[in-house]
Amino acid sequence: MPSFPEAEALSAEIQNAEVRKAFCAIDRSLFVPDSQRHHVWADMPLPIEEGATISQPSLVARMTALLEPAPHLRVLEIGTGSGYQTAILAGLFADVHTVEISRLLASNAQARLRQLGIANAHCHVADGAKGWPEAAPYDRVIATVAFPSQPDALLYQLGDGGICIAPVGQPGGTQTIIRYRKHGTETESQRLLPVRFLSLR
Ligand code: SAH
């Protein structure tokens, strides 16, 4: 498996060795437009098509680690964008369902994932605010697009013992990454870090 030295530097603080390995195995340059290739490994979000962005790489690594991945678990991702986060999740989970509202972005992401030989990621074009009930329940859920308030539909589709990581906050402002853990009918939430993500369309 390849390992990109730039990715090793960006994920050096991640404790989970499996997450570091999966993160370092994916070439971020495959997921950005040609016009952005010169700073592909800068630790910042970069513009892709349709006014979307590919997330900041160190944050991708951090959010992935917060999911506490394991190879037998199934994950739902909201906001496929370039498919970069999807490709990393595919290396750590049994199965990834990813939902994108833009048909163009979803089809570009799907083509890239196929090109990389990733067969356990399933791309859907839909409004991710509603999750993807067709394949629920999920062991893990990650949103890479900001929800204005608690993502109830995603929490409903999360199985018992599951973890959901999502940026929550009003469009235009700073949001907070919240970690939700479901225990039976109870959901515990923990506010973790301030971030700025695109908001749900
Ligand atoms: N994880 C992506 C970055 C996502 S940027 C990556 O690694 O490249 C946020 C994405 O959420 C954008 O692609 C945007 O089109 C998508 N999005 C916005 N509103 C959405 C909605 N209602 N449902 C699903 N996706 C949405």
Side-chain angles (χ1 to χ4, degrees):
M1 206 187 259
S3 189
F4 292 88
E6 298 92 339
E8 285 170 25
L10 288 165
S11 61
E13 284 174 17
I14 303 292
Q15 305 286 316
N16 184 321
E18 292 303 315
V19 169
R20 275 202 314 276
K21 195 164 131 202
F23 178 78
C24 295
I26 301 297
D27 182 359
R28 194 171 188 250
S29 73
L30 300 176
F31 295 84
V32 303
D34 287 342
S35 61
Q36 299 297 328
R37 292 260 156 89
H38 54 293
H39 35 220
V40 63
W41 288 109
D43 195 19
M44 57 186 191
L46 295 173
I48 54 170
E49 301 84 4
E50 305 266 285
T53 53
I54 177 171
S55 309
Q56 181 180 353
S58 62
L59 188 56
V60 170
R62 251 174 117 175
M63 289 173 73
T64 305
L66 287 169
L67 285 173
E68 300 175 15
H72 60 287
L73 301 180
R74 302 174 61 244
V75 62
L76 170 68
E77 177 193 33
I78 307 300
T80 314
S82 67
Y84 175 60
Q85 171 86 70
T86 317
I88 293 164
L89 295 172
L92 289 160
F93 288 93
D95 208 7
V96 187
H97 286 270
T98 182
V99 182
E100 169 57 54
I101 202 159
S102 153
R103 192 166 289 279
L104 173 72
L105 289 176
S107 96
N108 287 350
Q110 190 157 33
R112 289 183 184 115
L113 294 165
R114 204 172 292 148
Q115 206 181 333
L116 286 170
I118 294 172
N120 61 337
H122 314 283
C123 299
H124 310 289
V125 180
D127 179 4
K130 303 190 181 84
W132 184 253
E134 284 84 342
Y138 303 95
D139 303 298
R140 301 290 188 260
V141 177
I142 178 171
T144 61
V145 56
F147 280 65
S149 56
Q150 177 166 300
D152 288 325
L154 307 188
L155 297 176
Y156 184 70
Q157 289 166 34
L158 190 63
D160 191 15
I163 299 174
C164 169
I165 304 293
V168 179
Q170 288 307 312
T174 301
Q175 305 110 16
T176 304
I177 294 283
I178 303 192
R179 173 170 50 199
Y180 299 94
R181 272 183 202 271
K182 196 158 169 177
H183 307 282
T185 55
E186 302 283 296
T187 302
E188 166 205 333
S189 70
Q190 197 180 356
R191 300 170 68 85
L192 298 177
L193 60 141
V195 285
R196 246 171 197 272
F197 272 86
L198 292 180
S199 291
L200 278 177
R201 281 207 249 147

